[in-house]
Amino acid sequence: MDDNMNTKSILEELLLKRSQQKKKMSPSNYKERLFVLTKTNLSYYEYDKMKRGSRKGMIEIKKIRCVEKVNLEEQTPVERQYPFQIVYKDGLLYVYASNEESRSQWLKALQKEIRGNPHLLIKYHSGFFVDGKFLCCQQSCKAAPGCTLWEAYTNLHVARKDGENSPLPLPEPGLTFPRAVPFCKVDEPSSSSTLPDYREAQTGSGSQRPAHTQHGLREVCPDGCHPTKPRRGFHESNSSEEEGNLDYYDWFAGNISRAQSEQLLRQKGKEGAFMVRNSSQVGMYTVSLFSKAVNDKKGTVKHYHVHTNPENKLYLAENYCFDSIPRLIHYHQHNSAGMITRLRHPVSTKANKVPTSVSLGSGIWELKREEIALLKELGSGQFGVVHLGKWKEQYDVAVKMIKEGSMSEDEFFQEAQTMMKLSHPKLVKFYGVCSKKYPIYIVTEYISNGCLLHYLKSHGKGLEPSQLLEMCCDVCEGMAFLESQQFIHRDLAARNCLVDSDLSVKVSDFGMTRYVLDDQYVSSVGTKFPVKWSAPEVFHYFKYSSKSDVWAFGILMWEVFSLGKQPYDLYDNSQVVVKVSQGHRLYRPQLASDTIYQIMYSCWHELPEKRPTFQQLLSSIEPLREKISVEEEIG
C-alpha cells in the first residue's frame, strides 16, 4: 500500500525544460518533456506521439532544497514566459510552464511535497544562471549562496525533533534554524487580498496561541546587566520605579497606529530601527521593525506580534521565550533569531528623548578625554584610527578613535558593552570610553608587538614550533573563557589577535561578538562575514555558535603554523564556499606535526556538534606543549 502511494502520480504535464549547462559556458537548449511528480521523485520523460518514452532524468524529492519562480530574462519568447526553478542537492533545473495557472499548480504541489526537507534554502537566486553567472547578483559559482530571501521558507521549514542528530552530507549542518513567528493580521482593516511578505505571513501555530495578559515586568537580564537603557551610558541602575512600567523604555511607543509607526521608522531610516507598540487587540504588543535588507532601496517595515506559549512565556521566535517584554526585547537586540534583522535602534515617541549625538556615555566607564594624550598612530581601519596614547601621564593605552558616521551608535555600544563584561588574561583589557562627543574613544590596554598576523609575517621565521603552539594555546584559553561566558566572537582570526612583549597572545576586536542564551546566533540578512574563516553553517545559513568559533580557531592555527599565509590563497570567496562544501580542507603546514594538524583538522568537521569545544581543544594542546619543548631541547 505504501509503495503504491509513493509511486502514484500527483501531477503530470508536458513542460519545457532548459538544459542544465553542466559546463559553465555551454549553450542553452530547450526540450519538451513529460514531467511526473510522485511522493518520492520528480521525473521527466521523452514524449512522442502521445506516448511516454524513456526517462531522461529524475530528482529525489528529499534532495530538493528550493522551488520558486525565476525572473524573466530580457526579450523572452512567448513560450518561456512562466519559468520556475528546482534547486536540489546536486544541481539546478529550470522549467517553463505554459501559463501562470500551470506554474502555480506545480509550485504549490512541489512545495507541499518538500515541506520538512532538512536542507531548505533561506535565500535563493531570483535570476537565471546564464553564461557562467547569476543575472540577479553576478556571482559566478552555481553553488554560491542565494541573494534573495525565499518567502516560502518560513512555512516549509520544519525544525528537527530533539535527539535527531543523524549525520548529514555536506554542506548542511545539524543545527535547527528557529524562525520568528510573524503575523498577517493588521491593526487597521485592509481590503488587500495580496499575500503578505513571508515575515508577515501567518505560520499557523502562532495564530492559535491564546492572547497574553499583562505581565509583571522584571528588568534583569541573564548576565546581570540592566537592559532598560542600553544607550544611556555605562552605569547600572536598579531603580524600582523602572520595573513594571513599559513607558520607561525608549523603545515603547504606546498607542500609535501601524501607519504612524511606519512613518516614524522610515524617518529614522536606520537598519534595525524598531519600536514596541500596543496592538489593536487589548493586552497584546506588536514589534515594528525597519530594514533595508530586502531588495527595496527605500527599505521596508515589518510588524511582529508578541505571542504567548502554553507556559505563559512571551516570544517572537518560538524557541526563545521570556518572562517579560524587556527580556524579550533585550534578547532580540543581540539576536535576530529569524526576524529580518536585529532590534538595533530604538525609536522613541517621547519629546524629551536625548539626542544620540549628545552624551553617549556616563558612569564608571566614561573616562576624561583631557586625561588621554595621543602619541602616535598605530593603524587604521573602516571605523577610524588606532593611536598609542598615555592615560593620566603614566599608563600606555591603545585608543580606537571612531569618527562620526563611520560606526553606528549600535555598533559602538555593542563592542564597548561586550568588552566591559569580559575580563581574562588572554583577552585585551578594556579601560573605558570617551563618548560625550566625536571622535568617540574606546580605550584598551596597549599590546606592544601588535597584530598577530603581521608579527607572524615579519618575525615568524625566528619562532620555534613550541612558541607557535604556545600562541595557539593562548588564543584557545581566551576563547574557552568566551565560550564559558556564553559569548560568540564571530570574527576570530590572526588579524584580530595581538602579541604582547613576552610573546603572549590576546584575543581582540569584539565588534562582532554576541552574548547568546543558547549557544546559537543567527545573523540578519546582508551581514558581512569573513568567508575564509567561516564554517559551512555560517556562509550557507548565517548560523553562529561557539562551534563556528572553533572552526575559525582551526583556521587561525593554520595561519600560525604557516607563518601568516592567506588561507585558500588560490581561491576567491565563492570558490572557497564550493570547495569547503564539497569537503575540501586546508593542507598541513610544514611546521605543523601530524598531531597538531589533527587538532586543527578536528575543528573543521562539517557538523558543528562533531567539532571539539575550546575546553577540549585546550586538553589536547596542553600536553603537546611540554612534549614539543623537550623535543626541541633534545634536537
Side-chain angles (χ1 to χ4, degrees):
M1 182 70 176
D2 289 341
D3 289 341
N4 289 337
M5 288 292 291
N6 287 337
T7 56
K8 184 180 178 182
S9 173
I10 298 170
L11 201 56
E12 289 190 24
E13 190 176 354
L14 208 57
L15 303 170
L16 198 62
K17 170 192 156 298
R18 197 181 90 167
S19 59
Q20 294 194 57
Q21 289 184 295
K22 293 191 175 174
K23 292 182 180 178
K24 197 169 186 178
M25 303 297 285
S26 61
S28 296
N29 62 67
Y30 304 87
K31 293 181 179 176
E32 212 171 38
R33 296 289 186 226
L34 177 66
F35 278 77
V36 179
L37 174 64
T38 68
K39 285 282 185 186
T40 54
N41 300 309
L42 175 67
S43 306
Y44 46 94
Y45 300 82
E46 287 184 333
Y47 193 77
D48 187 36
K49 297 178 182 177
M50 306 295 287
K51 290 184 179 180
R52 179 192 296 186
S54 60
R55 187 170 73 181
K56 304 303 291 183
M58 184 267 288
I59 300 170
E60 291 182 74
I61 296 298
K62 65 183 180 183
K63 292 185 177 180
I64 297 178
R65 305 179 66 188
C66 176
V67 181
E68 192 49 87
K69 296 178 183 179
V70 193
N71 294 338
L72 290 176
E73 300 174 76
E74 292 182 9
Q75 300 178 333
T76 304
V78 176
E79 67 272 16
R80 300 206 299 270
Q81 291 291 312
Y82 303 97
F84 63 96
Q85 59 184 307
I86 298 159
V87 185
Y88 57 104
K89 184 189 171 189
D90 304 311
L92 173 59
L93 179 66
Y94 293 118
V95 183
Y96 301 82
S98 56
N99 54 55
E100 182 56 50
E101 183 181 357
S102 168
R103 178 167 69 174
S104 297
Q105 190 177 23
W106 277 97
L107 288 174
K108 184 177 179 181
L110 280 163
Q111 289 181 359
K112 179 181 177 183
E113 297 309 315
I114 68 171
R115 186 177 185 275
N117 274 11
H119 314 309
L120 296 175
L121 298 180
I122 298 167
K123 298 173 77 180
Y124 74 106
H125 292 282
S126 57
F128 282 96
F129 189 80
V130 178
D131 294 333
K133 65 182 179 182
F134 283 103
L135 297 180
C136 47
C137 59
Q138 305 303 306
Q139 293 189 80
S140 59
C141 171
K142 258 191 181 178
C147 58
T148 304
L149 283 166
W150 187 28
E151 298 179 2
Y153 175 89
T154 190
N155 290 325
L156 299 180
H157 169 74
V158 176
R160 294 173 158 226
K161 296 177 183 177
D162 292 341
E164 274 190 7
N165 217 5
S166 55
L168 302 174
L170 281 168
E172 292 80 20
L175 296 173
T176 58
F177 184 82
R179 300 297 296 170
V181 180
F183 67 101
C184 59
K185 180 178 174 61
V186 297
D187 293 333
E188 292 83 39
S190 171
S191 59
S192 172
S193 60
T194 306
L195 287 174
D197 186 272
Y198 89 93
R199 283 162 299 277
E200 291 184 281
Q202 182 60 32
T203 61
S205 61
S207 62
Q208 304 303 315
R209 303 288 183 186
H212 85 269
T213 55
Q214 189 74 27
H215 288 259
L217 301 176
R218 297 184 60 197
E219 301 161 1
V220 183
C221 57
D223 53 357
C225 70
H226 197 280
T228 57
K229 289 189 175 181
R231 285 163 182 76
R232 290 291 184 272
F234 298 102
H235 60 285
E236 296 183 6
S237 172
N238 293 305
S239 171
S240 60
E241 295 177 11
E242 298 163 7
E243 297 196 9
N245 181 13
L246 282 184
D247 287 327
Y248 176 78
Y249 294 83
D250 55 2
W251 40 252
F252 185 61
N255 294 317
I256 70 168
S257 69
R258 178 189 178 100
Q260 287 173 320
S261 71
E262 291 187 359
Q263 182 182 3
L264 288 169
L265 291 171
R266 290 184 187 281
Q267 283 175 359
K268 181 79 169 179
K270 285 189 174 183
E271 176 70 20
F274 77 99
M275 61 174 61
V276 180
R277 57 192 175 85
N278 293 323
S279 296
S280 56
Q281 298 179 44
V282 177
M284 293 193 72
Y285 299 101
T286 298
V287 177
S288 299
L289 177 61
F290 176 82
S291 176
K292 295 180 179 177
V294 293
N295 295 334
D296 182 356
K297 292 180 180 178
K298 296 180 180 177
T300 186
V301 178
K302 299 300 172 189
H303 305 274
Y304 300 86
H305 268 325
V306 177
H307 289 272
T308 307
N309 69 10
E311 288 75 42
N312 219 28
K313 301 277 188 179
L314 307 175
Y315 68 91
L316 292 173
E318 281 193 89
N319 288 6
Y320 305 95
C321 303
F322 303 91
D323 294 326
S324 68
I325 298 289
R327 284 193 178 192
L328 179 148
I329 297 303
H330 176 70
Y331 176 80
H332 287 287
Q333 285 178 312
H334 294 79
N335 299 270
S336 62
M339 291 192 295
I340 194 170
T341 186
R342 282 190 294 122
L343 306 181
R344 298 167 185 258
H345 302 284
V347 174
S348 177
T349 55
K350 300 174 180 64
N352 61 349
K353 186 174 186 287
V354 179
T356 58
S357 60
V358 179
S359 190
L360 294 175
S362 61
I364 60 172
W365 295 105
E366 186 71 22
L367 306 178
K368 294 179 179 177
R369 193 177 294 255
E370 59 271 19
E371 292 182 346
I372 300 172
L374 303 179
L375 303 180
K376 68 174 182 178
E377 185 176 322
L378 298 174
S380 60
Q382 66 182 104
F383 296 128
V385 181
V386 179
H387 278 85
L388 169 63
K390 208 74 160 176
W391 182 29
K392 295 184 176 179
E393 299 183 346
Q394 56 180 320
Y395 304 110
D396 287 337
V397 292
V399 182
K400 185 176 182 179
M401 297 175 61
I402 297 157
K403 56 191 178 185
E404 188 167 6
S406 65
M407 187 184 209
S408 72
E409 180 191 347
D410 177 73
E411 289 164 326
F412 161 59
F413 273 87
Q414 181 75 55
E415 181 168 357
Q417 290 187 329
T418 296
M419 294 185 74
M420 285 175 221
K421 299 168 190 174
L422 299 174
S423 178
H424 187 272
K426 303 305 180 186
L427 304 180
V428 171
K429 283 190 183 73
F430 173 73
Y431 293 143
V433 298
C434 298
S435 66
K436 293 185 176 179
K437 65 179 182 179
Y438 285 100
I440 294 170
Y441 292 176
I442 294 180
V443 184
T444 65
E445 68 174 314
Y446 170 62
I447 308 292
S448 59
N449 279 321
C451 166
L452 173 59
L453 180 61
H454 294 158
Y455 190 85
L456 289 167
K457 288 180 176 180
S458 56
H459 299 92
K461 290 181 180 178
L463 299 174
E464 299 290 343
S466 61
Q467 292 173 298
L468 298 176
L469 186 64
E470 194 71 34
M471 290 176 162
C472 294
C473 192
D474 287 344
V475 174
C476 195
E477 281 184 43
M479 292 304 299
F481 175 74
L482 284 182
E483 181 181 64
S484 72
Q485 300 299 305
Q486 296 177 270
F487 280 89
I488 304 172
H489 191 282
R490 297 175 65 228
D491 196 15
L492 182 62
R495 65 182 173 274
N496 290 331
C497 295
L498 299 173
V499 184
D500 216 340
S501 54
D502 61 356
L503 298 191
S504 64
V505 177
K506 299 191 178 190
V507 179
S508 182
D509 205 321
F510 300 99
M512 290 179 65
T513 302
R514 297 290 181 268
Y515 171 77
V516 291
L517 299 176
D518 49 10
D519 195 33
Q520 183 171 314
Y521 173 81
V522 183
S523 71
S524 50
V525 177
T527 303
K528 293 181 179 180
F529 58 91
V531 172
K532 294 184 177 183
W533 283 261
S534 294
E537 67 270 17
V538 172
F539 52 66
H540 285 296
Y541 305 110
F542 309 106
K543 296 178 185 177
Y544 295 86
S545 67
S546 58
K547 294 302 183 72
S548 59
D549 276 352
V550 165
W551 179 291
F553 176 72
I555 305 293
L556 180 143
M557 284 189 73
W558 187 92
E559 289 182 278
V560 170
F561 279 91
S562 64
L563 305 183
K565 281 188 178 178
Q566 170 81 354
Y568 316 102
D569 58 337
L570 299 178
Y571 303 111
D572 61 26
N573 285 345
S574 61
Q575 291 171 318
V576 170
V577 169
V578 175
K579 291 289 184 183
V580 170
S581 298
Q582 291 172 343
H584 294 275
R585 299 293 183 262
L586 289 165
Y587 59 85
R588 179 176 69 83
Q590 189 174 354
L591 292 173
S593 66
D594 288 338
T595 307
I596 289 172
Y597 182 59
Q598 196 172 6
I599 291 172
M600 67 177 79
Y601 196 86
S602 72
C603 298
W604 303 328
H605 198 289
E606 68 269 23
L607 298 178
E609 63 271 21
K610 295 294 182 71
R611 298 170 207 153
T613 64
F614 281 107
Q615 198 57 53
Q616 289 169 334
L617 284 166
L618 268 180
S619 300
S620 300
I621 292 172
E622 285 178 338
L624 288 177
R625 295 158 72 184
E626 293 181 15
K627 182 181 177 184
I628 292 177
S629 296
V630 170
E631 288 174 354
E632 287 174 353
E633 287 177 12
I634 294 172

